Amino acid sequence: MVDILDSVLSGMRYPAGRLHKRLRGDGLVYEVQAYHVPMYGRGYFMIYALTDPQNVNRVKRIILRNVNQLKQQLISSRELKESKGQLAFYYEDMRDDLSDRSMVYGTQVLYGQGLGFLDDKLSKLRNVSSRDVRKAARRFFSAPQVMVFRPKN
């Protein structure tokens, strides 16, 4: 379920999603991406943006506004369909590349999820609703933390 949040926000490693469209579209960032780091338990969900110092506060506000919108509002059926299609492609693409497949299967066996992991994800994806996305956003974005890293002068 957390992958759908990634897809909606930042395009699941492709140049798409709400944040990419808004922040790149407005020329506020060089790059914006979100991803889930599973680790044990829930892990964490990270959004990063590369921007100029004068845009930091504006970019943070836009990111947090989008995160809060996912917690409060249902995504449109069009956005859900696009995100699900993007994820289905991403999962299928992971099967095609030997390196990706080895990493995915090795990691999932390590985490005790078994070799049917991608099949399970594809099967569950078909049934995801806009309400499920909002529920996942509320779960994973319960206490967002913001960190800003700046180069030394």
PDB file of all heavy atoms in Angstrom, residues 34-56:
ATOM      1  N   ALA A  34      10.178  10.352  -3.752  1.00  0.00           N
ATOM      2  CA  ALA A  34       9.712   9.764  -2.499  1.00  0.00           C
ATOM      3  C   ALA A  34       9.960   8.269  -2.571  1.00  0.00           C
ATOM      4  O   ALA A  34       9.963   7.691  -3.656  1.00  0.00           O
ATOM      5  CB  ALA A  34       8.221  10.036  -2.307  1.00  0.00           C
ATOM      6  N   TYR A  35      10.187   7.659  -1.447  1.00  0.00           N
ATOM      7  CA  TYR A  35      10.293   6.209  -1.415  1.00  0.00           C
ATOM      8  C   TYR A  35      10.195   5.688  -0.001  1.00  0.00           C
ATOM      9  O   TYR A  35      10.426   6.402   0.967  1.00  0.00           O
ATOM     10  CB  TYR A  35      11.562   5.698  -2.107  1.00  0.00           C
ATOM     11  CG  TYR A  35      12.862   6.214  -1.552  1.00  0.00           C
ATOM     12  CD1 TYR A  35      13.543   5.508  -0.568  1.00  0.00           C
ATOM     13  CD2 TYR A  35      13.424   7.392  -2.029  1.00  0.00           C
ATOM     14  CE1 TYR A  35      14.745   5.973  -0.069  1.00  0.00           C
ATOM     15  CE2 TYR A  35      14.626   7.845  -1.538  1.00  0.00           C
ATOM     16  CZ  TYR A  35      15.287   7.137  -0.558  1.00  0.00           C
ATOM     17  OH  TYR A  35      16.473   7.604  -0.069  1.00  0.00           O
ATOM     18  N   HIS A  36       9.820   4.430   0.058  1.00  0.00           N
ATOM     19  CA  HIS A  36       9.658   3.733   1.328  1.00  0.00           C
ATOM     20  C   HIS A  36      10.894   2.884   1.581  1.00  0.00           C
ATOM     21  O   HIS A  36      11.356   2.175   0.696  1.00  0.00           O
ATOM     22  CB  HIS A  36       8.408   2.846   1.262  1.00  0.00           C
ATOM     23  CG  HIS A  36       8.177   2.057   2.497  1.00  0.00           C
ATOM     24  ND1 HIS A  36       8.108   0.691   2.489  1.00  0.00           N
ATOM     25  CD2 HIS A  36       8.010   2.426   3.787  1.00  0.00           C
ATOM     26  CE1 HIS A  36       7.897   0.255   3.719  1.00  0.00           C
ATOM     27  NE2 HIS A  36       7.843   1.294   4.508  1.00  0.00           N
ATOM     28  N   VAL A  37      11.431   2.976   2.782  1.00  0.00           N
ATOM     29  CA  VAL A  37      12.534   2.122   3.209  1.00  0.00           C
ATOM     30  C   VAL A  37      11.943   1.149   4.219  1.00  0.00           C
ATOM     31  O   VAL A  37      11.599   1.542   5.335  1.00  0.00           O
ATOM     32  CB  VAL A  37      13.677   2.947   3.828  1.00  0.00           C
ATOM     33  CG1 VAL A  37      14.813   2.048   4.275  1.00  0.00           C
ATOM     34  CG2 VAL A  37      14.162   4.006   2.837  1.00  0.00           C
ATOM     35  N   PRO A  38      11.751  -0.123   3.817  1.00  0.00           N
ATOM     36  CA  PRO A  38      10.972  -1.044   4.653  1.00  0.00           C
ATOM     37  C   PRO A  38      11.597  -1.397   5.989  1.00  0.00           C
ATOM     38  O   PRO A  38      10.919  -1.390   6.998  1.00  0.00           O
ATOM     39  CB  PRO A  38      10.792  -2.282   3.777  1.00  0.00           C
ATOM     40  CG  PRO A  38      11.771  -2.172   2.689  1.00  0.00           C
ATOM     41  CD  PRO A  38      12.165  -0.735   2.572  1.00  0.00           C
ATOM     42  N   MET A  39      12.861  -1.731   6.020  1.00  0.00           N
ATOM     43  CA  MET A  39      13.503  -2.178   7.252  1.00  0.00           C
ATOM     44  C   MET A  39      12.569  -3.146   7.982  1.00  0.00           C
ATOM     45  O   MET A  39      11.826  -3.873   7.354  1.00  0.00           O
ATOM     46  CB  MET A  39      13.908  -0.984   8.106  1.00  0.00           C
ATOM     47  CG  MET A  39      14.850  -0.040   7.370  1.00  0.00           C
ATOM     48  SD  MET A  39      15.198   1.488   8.232  1.00  0.00           S
ATOM     49  CE  MET A  39      16.117   0.939   9.610  1.00  0.00           C
ATOM     50  N   TYR A  40      12.587  -3.152   9.283  1.00  0.00           N
ATOM     51  CA  TYR A  40      11.660  -3.984  10.051  1.00  0.00           C
ATOM     52  C   TYR A  40      10.507  -3.123  10.536  1.00  0.00           C
ATOM     53  O   TYR A  40      10.649  -1.935  10.758  1.00  0.00           O
ATOM     54  CB  TYR A  40      12.362  -4.652  11.239  1.00  0.00           C
ATOM     55  CG  TYR A  40      13.313  -5.727  10.803  1.00  0.00           C
ATOM     56  CD1 TYR A  40      14.677  -5.514  10.789  1.00  0.00           C
ATOM     57  CD2 TYR A  40      12.838  -6.953  10.359  1.00  0.00           C
ATOM     58  CE1 TYR A  40      15.553  -6.497  10.361  1.00  0.00           C
ATOM     59  CE2 TYR A  40      13.693  -7.940   9.923  1.00  0.00           C
ATOM     60  CZ  TYR A  40      15.058  -7.707   9.936  1.00  0.00           C
ATOM     61  OH  TYR A  40      15.902  -8.685   9.501  1.00  0.00           O
ATOM     62  N   GLY A  41       9.353  -3.723  10.727  1.00  0.00           N
ATOM     63  CA  GLY A  41       8.174  -2.950  11.100  1.00  0.00           C
ATOM     64  C   GLY A  41       7.709  -2.140   9.905  1.00  0.00           C
ATOM     65  O   GLY A  41       7.752  -2.590   8.774  1.00  0.00           O
ATOM     66  N   ARG A  42       7.274  -0.921  10.149  1.00  0.00           N
ATOM     67  CA  ARG A  42       6.802  -0.055   9.066  1.00  0.00           C
ATOM     68  C   ARG A  42       7.931   0.566   8.273  1.00  0.00           C
ATOM     69  O   ARG A  42       7.730   1.038   7.168  1.00  0.00           O
ATOM     70  CB  ARG A  42       5.956   1.083   9.633  1.00  0.00           C
ATOM     71  CG  ARG A  42       4.540   0.708   9.876  1.00  0.00           C
ATOM     72  CD  ARG A  42       3.665   1.903  10.068  1.00  0.00           C
ATOM     73  NE  ARG A  42       4.109   2.782  11.137  1.00  0.00           N
ATOM     74  CZ  ARG A  42       3.367   3.706  11.674  1.00  0.00           C
ATOM     75  NH1 ARG A  42       2.151   3.887  11.256  1.00  0.00           N
ATOM     76  NH2 ARG A  42       3.810   4.466  12.632  1.00  0.00           N
ATOM     77  N   GLY A  43       9.113   0.635   8.851  1.00  0.00           N
ATOM     78  CA  GLY A  43      10.201   1.342   8.190  1.00  0.00           C
ATOM     79  C   GLY A  43       9.911   2.835   8.193  1.00  0.00           C
ATOM     80  O   GLY A  43       9.291   3.355   9.120  1.00  0.00           O
ATOM     81  N   TYR A  44      10.330   3.507   7.148  1.00  0.00           N
ATOM     82  CA  TYR A  44      10.013   4.924   7.045  1.00  0.00           C
ATOM     83  C   TYR A  44       9.792   5.305   5.588  1.00  0.00           C
ATOM     84  O   TYR A  44      10.227   4.625   4.675  1.00  0.00           O
ATOM     85  CB  TYR A  44      11.077   5.809   7.695  1.00  0.00           C
ATOM     86  CG  TYR A  44      12.457   5.719   7.065  1.00  0.00           C
ATOM     87  CD1 TYR A  44      12.828   6.581   6.047  1.00  0.00           C
ATOM     88  CD2 TYR A  44      13.388   4.792   7.523  1.00  0.00           C
ATOM     89  CE1 TYR A  44      14.078   6.510   5.476  1.00  0.00           C
ATOM     90  CE2 TYR A  44      14.648   4.720   6.954  1.00  0.00           C
ATOM     91  CZ  TYR A  44      14.993   5.584   5.940  1.00  0.00           C
ATOM     92  OH  TYR A  44      16.229   5.510   5.371  1.00  0.00           O
ATOM     93  N   PHE A  45       9.099   6.404   5.398  1.00  0.00           N
ATOM     94  CA  PHE A  45       8.787   6.936   4.077  1.00  0.00           C
ATOM     95  C   PHE A  45       9.517   8.264   3.961  1.00  0.00           C
ATOM     96  O   PHE A  45       9.375   9.126   4.826  1.00  0.00           O
ATOM     97  CB  PHE A  45       7.281   7.138   3.944  1.00  0.00           C
ATOM     98  CG  PHE A  45       6.845   7.448   2.541  1.00  0.00           C
ATOM     99  CD1 PHE A  45       6.497   6.425   1.681  1.00  0.00           C
ATOM    100  CD2 PHE A  45       6.779   8.749   2.092  1.00  0.00           C
ATOM    101  CE1 PHE A  45       6.086   6.694   0.381  1.00  0.00           C
ATOM    102  CE2 PHE A  45       6.375   9.041   0.801  1.00  0.00           C
ATOM    103  CZ  PHE A  45       6.019   7.997  -0.060  1.00  0.00           C
ATOM    104  N   MET A  46      10.300   8.404   2.917  1.00  0.00           N
ATOM    105  CA  MET A  46      11.127   9.594   2.782  1.00  0.00           C
ATOM    106  C   MET A  46      10.785  10.339   1.495  1.00  0.00           C
ATOM    107  O   MET A  46      10.564   9.721   0.455  1.00  0.00           O
ATOM    108  CB  MET A  46      12.594   9.177   2.737  1.00  0.00           C
ATOM    109  CG  MET A  46      13.546  10.329   2.678  1.00  0.00           C
ATOM    110  SD  MET A  46      15.235   9.753   2.927  1.00  0.00           S
ATOM    111  CE  MET A  46      15.919  10.159   1.345  1.00  0.00           C
ATOM    112  N   ILE A  47      10.733  11.646   1.600  1.00  0.00           N
ATOM    113  CA  ILE A  47      10.582  12.518   0.437  1.00  0.00           C
ATOM    114  C   ILE A  47      11.785  13.452   0.448  1.00  0.00           C
ATOM    115  O   ILE A  47      12.065  14.079   1.467  1.00  0.00           O
ATOM    116  CB  ILE A  47       9.290  13.353   0.514  1.00  0.00           C
ATOM    117  CG1 ILE A  47       8.064  12.457   0.598  1.00  0.00           C
ATOM    118  CG2 ILE A  47       9.206  14.310  -0.671  1.00  0.00           C
ATOM    119  CD1 ILE A  47       6.786  13.194   0.933  1.00  0.00           C
ATOM    120  N   TYR A  48      12.485  13.518  -0.665  1.00  0.00           N
ATOM    121  CA  TYR A  48      13.589  14.470  -0.723  1.00  0.00           C
ATOM    122  C   TYR A  48      13.432  15.361  -1.949  1.00  0.00           C
ATOM    123  O   TYR A  48      12.846  14.972  -2.952  1.00  0.00           O
ATOM    124  CB  TYR A  48      14.955  13.773  -0.717  1.00  0.00           C
ATOM    125  CG  TYR A  48      15.315  13.045  -1.987  1.00  0.00           C
ATOM    126  CD1 TYR A  48      15.957  13.703  -3.027  1.00  0.00           C
ATOM    127  CD2 TYR A  48      15.027  11.692  -2.150  1.00  0.00           C
ATOM    128  CE1 TYR A  48      16.288  13.043  -4.190  1.00  0.00           C
ATOM    129  CE2 TYR A  48      15.351  11.032  -3.308  1.00  0.00           C
ATOM    130  CZ  TYR A  48      15.984  11.709  -4.334  1.00  0.00           C
ATOM    131  OH  TYR A  48      16.307  11.054  -5.488  1.00  0.00           O
ATOM    132  N   ALA A  49      13.955  16.561  -1.807  1.00  0.00           N
ATOM    133  CA  ALA A  49      13.899  17.527  -2.900  1.00  0.00           C
ATOM    134  C   ALA A  49      15.231  18.269  -2.945  1.00  0.00           C
ATOM    135  O   ALA A  49      15.758  18.663  -1.904  1.00  0.00           O
ATOM    136  CB  ALA A  49      12.754  18.510  -2.674  1.00  0.00           C
ATOM    137  N   LEU A  50      15.765  18.437  -4.128  1.00  0.00           N
ATOM    138  CA  LEU A  50      16.983  19.212  -4.323  1.00  0.00           C
ATOM    139  C   LEU A  50      16.575  20.569  -4.884  1.00  0.00           C
ATOM    140  O   LEU A  50      15.990  20.651  -5.966  1.00  0.00           O
ATOM    141  CB  LEU A  50      17.917  18.500  -5.296  1.00  0.00           C
ATOM    142  CG  LEU A  50      18.354  17.098  -4.890  1.00  0.00           C
ATOM    143  CD1 LEU A  50      19.177  16.448  -5.995  1.00  0.00           C
ATOM    144  CD2 LEU A  50      19.136  17.127  -3.601  1.00  0.00           C
ATOM    145  N   THR A  51      16.869  21.609  -4.117  1.00  0.00           N
ATOM    146  CA  THR A  51      16.414  22.942  -4.501  1.00  0.00           C
ATOM    147  C   THR A  51      17.454  23.990  -4.138  1.00  0.00           C
ATOM    148  O   THR A  51      18.438  23.708  -3.435  1.00  0.00           O
ATOM    149  CB  THR A  51      15.071  23.260  -3.821  1.00  0.00           C
ATOM    150  OG1 THR A  51      14.550  24.473  -4.370  1.00  0.00           O
ATOM    151  CG2 THR A  51      15.200  23.397  -2.316  1.00  0.00           C
ATOM    152  N   ASP A  52      17.244  25.197  -4.592  1.00  0.00           N
ATOM    153  CA  ASP A  52      18.098  26.322  -4.219  1.00  0.00           C
ATOM    154  C   ASP A  52      17.717  26.793  -2.818  1.00  0.00           C
ATOM    155  O   ASP A  52      16.554  26.676  -2.411  1.00  0.00           O
ATOM    156  CB  ASP A  52      17.913  27.480  -5.204  1.00  0.00           C
ATOM    157  CG  ASP A  52      18.504  27.177  -6.563  1.00  0.00           C
ATOM    158  OD1 ASP A  52      19.550  26.505  -6.626  1.00  0.00           O
ATOM    159  OD2 ASP A  52      17.911  27.623  -7.572  1.00  0.00           O
ATOM    160  N   PRO A  53      18.676  27.369  -2.087  1.00  0.00           N
ATOM    161  CA  PRO A  53      18.395  27.809  -0.708  1.00  0.00           C
ATOM    162  C   PRO A  53      17.188  28.743  -0.584  1.00  0.00           C
ATOM    163  O   PRO A  53      16.423  28.633   0.371  1.00  0.00           O
ATOM    164  CB  PRO A  53      19.688  28.521  -0.287  1.00  0.00           C
ATOM    165  CG  PRO A  53      20.754  27.882  -1.124  1.00  0.00           C
ATOM    166  CD  PRO A  53      20.082  27.565  -2.447  1.00  0.00           C
ATOM    167  N   GLN A  54      16.983  29.618  -1.535  1.00  0.00           N
ATOM    168  CA  GLN A  54      15.867  30.567  -1.433  1.00  0.00           C
ATOM    169  C   GLN A  54      14.505  29.887  -1.590  1.00  0.00           C
ATOM    170  O   GLN A  54      13.479  30.471  -1.255  1.00  0.00           O
ATOM    171  CB  GLN A  54      16.008  31.731  -2.423  1.00  0.00           C
ATOM    172  CG  GLN A  54      15.820  31.350  -3.872  1.00  0.00           C
ATOM    173  CD  GLN A  54      17.118  30.962  -4.569  1.00  0.00           C
ATOM    174  OE1 GLN A  54      18.126  30.672  -3.929  1.00  0.00           O
ATOM    175  NE2 GLN A  54      17.094  30.952  -5.890  1.00  0.00           N
ATOM    176  N   ASN A  55      14.469  28.638  -2.084  1.00  0.00           N
ATOM    177  CA  ASN A  55      13.204  27.930  -2.286  1.00  0.00           C
ATOM    178  C   ASN A  55      12.876  26.920  -1.185  1.00  0.00           C
ATOM    179  O   ASN A  55      11.808  26.308  -1.217  1.00  0.00           O
ATOM    180  CB  ASN A  55      13.228  27.191  -3.631  1.00  0.00           C
ATOM    181  CG  ASN A  55      13.281  28.127  -4.806  1.00  0.00           C
ATOM    182  OD1 ASN A  55      12.788  29.246  -4.743  1.00  0.00           O
ATOM    183  ND2 ASN A  55      13.898  27.681  -5.879  1.00  0.00           N
ATOM    184  N   VAL A  56      13.773  26.728  -0.225  1.00  0.00           N
ATOM    185  CA  VAL A  56      13.611  25.667   0.766  1.00  0.00           C
ATOM    186  C   VAL A  56      12.276  25.756   1.497  1.00  0.00           C
ATOM    187  O   VAL A  56      11.533  24.776   1.568  1.00  0.00           O
ATOM    188  CB  VAL A  56      14.788  25.650   1.777  1.00  0.00           C
ATOM    189  CG1 VAL A  56      14.489  24.754   2.977  1.00  0.00           C
ATOM    190  CG2 VAL A  56      16.068  25.195   1.091  1.00  0.00           C
TER     191      VAL A  56
END
